[in-house]
Amino acid sequence: MRRQAVKVRLYPTDEQIQVLAQHFGCARWWWNYGLNQCIETYKATGKGLSQSGLNSLLPGLKKVKETEWLGECYSQVLQSVSLNLSRAYQNFFEGRAKYPRFKSKHHRQSIQYPQKVKQVDSCLKFPGKLGSVKAKIHRPLDGAIKTVTVSKCPTGKYYASVLMEYEGDYPEAKKDGKTIGIDLGIKDFAITYDGNKVSKYSNPRHLSKYEKKLAVKQRIAARKNKGSNRRRKANKIVARVYELFSNVRQDYLHKLSRKIVDNNQVVVVENLNVKGMVRNHKLSKAISDTGWGTFVNFLGYKLERSGGKLIEINRWFPSSKLCSNCHYQISELPLDVRTWTCPSCGTHHDRDGNAAMNIRAEGIRMLALSVVEGLFSTDTYYNGGNPRNVVSSSGTGEANANGEDVRPIRGRKSKMRQSSVKLEAHTVPSGQSG
Ligand SMILES: [Zn+2]
């Protein structure tokens, strides 16, 4: 079974906006209430609440005067909240995620319809009071529609992320094809080596323009009094600029990953412990700006669909300090040193090109090793709905569809690594339901 999510823009009527606001409010209230119940239950018993445990609280709440308005919300929307909350709790207990957080009405709002959403012409037809909502469907919804997540951005736009299931599996991995090594950098976004030549891809030109604008708008917003109307308006402007910024970035990351996947069968990257690196303040800005994690996710799912492989090599592998010609390893290479000459064989290296060569060679070595040891399987497998085809030398965290950080369970024996994908692209594999 293959899964794919498509994100479409929704254009609700004024009445539908009211219905959505009510549903967002109910879902958010129920999440926060349920989380509180989990905390209390945990204090008393040492355990959280299961999905059914949470659901069993709902009928009582709908009968009580103060919370009878919960009955206005489509019941499966609330049950989805119970499911997501119990999962978030479980992920926390199993060491894969941070503690679940309370939801604020000032952030992105979302609700899930676990089933019964249909496409009717250029509308999505939802069960319950919402009904048919006009949608901009830019590609056919040709799979079996499963979970549909409706969200409202801080800029006031509405989207639906439609998760679909298809019969059949992803294509088998081909045995031929090229292998490319990618060094993700700061000066250039990516430097690749495909066995023949080194290519450099710089950050998109417009990005820095939006980045500067974003910083200005953020400073303006920070000067307004908290809770004031002016602050609220300023924050809305920040959200709009951020949306532009992130659209430019997503577009670039999609195009670059598409190009790389179309031309190569195996892609080797360094396993970026982005969280670990962000703690290093000098690098933090550049890293969060360049969106490496998103890029690697895009590569992963695009390769999966084309029968390719993503190989992540250990991030402690000295890709920059190793001579790609003779494997001599120099002891120091400060970040500002862009070129160096190997003291052993005399080869003159461009820092990044050399790293991409080493990354590619290490990926090929790992691939050969894993075939020998039988660790490398061509089967994709699912975790929270995310099939993966990734070989890795160590696991790191990524974010799942709910935006929570999820780490693979510690002590995993397999060399395969799965990671969830944040739902922010137009077309990404979804991390919902399993
Ligand atoms: Zn050398």
Side-chain angles (χ1 to χ4, degrees), residues 11 24 51 53 107 130 138 153 168 213 218 224 248 263 308 339 379 397 429:
Y11 299 90
F24 289 142
Q51 183 197 2
H107 295 128
L130 188 55
H138 55 280
C153 291
K213 204 168 166 187
Q218 273 168 338
K224 313 279 184 214
V248 169
N263 291 309
T339 61
D379 300 335

Side-chain angles (χ1 to χ4, degrees), residues 43 168 180 184 214 244 285 305 310 338 360 382 417:
K43 276 186 202 153
I180 194 167
L184 295 168
L214 192 61
L244 288 168
K285 196 179 147 297
R305 286 181 197 165
L310 180 70
R338 307 313 304 175
R360 180 177 181 271
Y382 290 88
R417 169 204 164 220

Side-chain angles (χ1 to χ4, degrees), residues 323 325-328 342 344-347 349:
C323 169
N325 185 42
C326 73
H327 294 174
Y328 180 86
C342 174
S344 173
C345 72
T347 309
H349 292 297

